[in-house]
Amino acid sequence: MIKNQPFGNVEKQNDIFTGGFEAIIGLSYPNPTEPQITPVFDMMMQQHLVKSNLFAFYLTLKDEGIDSDITFGYYDTSKFTGKIAWHPVIDKEFFIVKHDDLKVGGK
């Protein structure tokens, strides 16, 4: 359990995102303009609640019959084959990484 984690609930928002938007709040990098706010994952790391300081997404399509998921502190090696190529985040606001090529299904 994360201790002393502030939580905000957005029930309605009509200025920025329209058309069915879902998000996971709290996985961003800390924002230097708001030093009083510690993101959820940073709080998990500070309280030593994760094995490693990483989180991973497994994304699927709804019609595949397999659920997407997120893991904290590890990645599930049963969800992929091959090796992971690690890349530094070059823009922390949007988790942008530099890469030379991207293939899906070998293409």
Side-chain angles (χ1 to χ4, degrees):
M1 175 185 294
I2 305 168
K3 295 180 179 137
N4 302 314
Q5 177 65 54
F7 181 82
N9 183 36
V10 177
E11 293 184 11
K12 185 174 182 180
Q13 193 299 119
N14 23 337
D15 292 337
I16 300 172
F17 304 111
T18 58
F21 182 84
E22 294 182 19
I24 299 172
I25 307 299
L27 298 180
S28 64
Y29 281 93
N31 186 336
T33 63
E34 299 183 67
Q36 73 280 10
I37 297 173
T38 302
V40 171
F41 192 69
D42 282 64
M43 202 67 117
M44 292 169 74
M45 291 186 296
Q46 289 173 14
Q47 295 177 22
H48 307 286
L49 300 175
V50 290
K51 283 195 243 180
S52 296
N53 295 340
L54 63 89
F55 57 87
F57 292 96
Y58 179 71
L59 303 175
T60 64
L61 299 173
K62 287 183 179 182
D63 62 354
E64 291 179 343
I66 302 169
D67 291 334
S68 297
D69 68 10
I70 183 170
T71 56
F72 296 98
Y74 71 100
Y75 53 89
D76 186 346
T77 58
S78 73
K79 305 284 185 179
F80 65 93
T81 59
K83 295 180 180 181
I84 292 180
W86 299 95
H87 298 275
V89 175
I90 59 173
D91 182 332
K92 291 183 177 183
E93 185 174 1
F94 296 104
F95 282 96
I96 295 173
V97 296
K98 183 181 183 308
H99 61 280
D100 297 321
D101 194 12
L102 177 67
K103 292 182 181 183
V104 176
K107 299 179 182 180

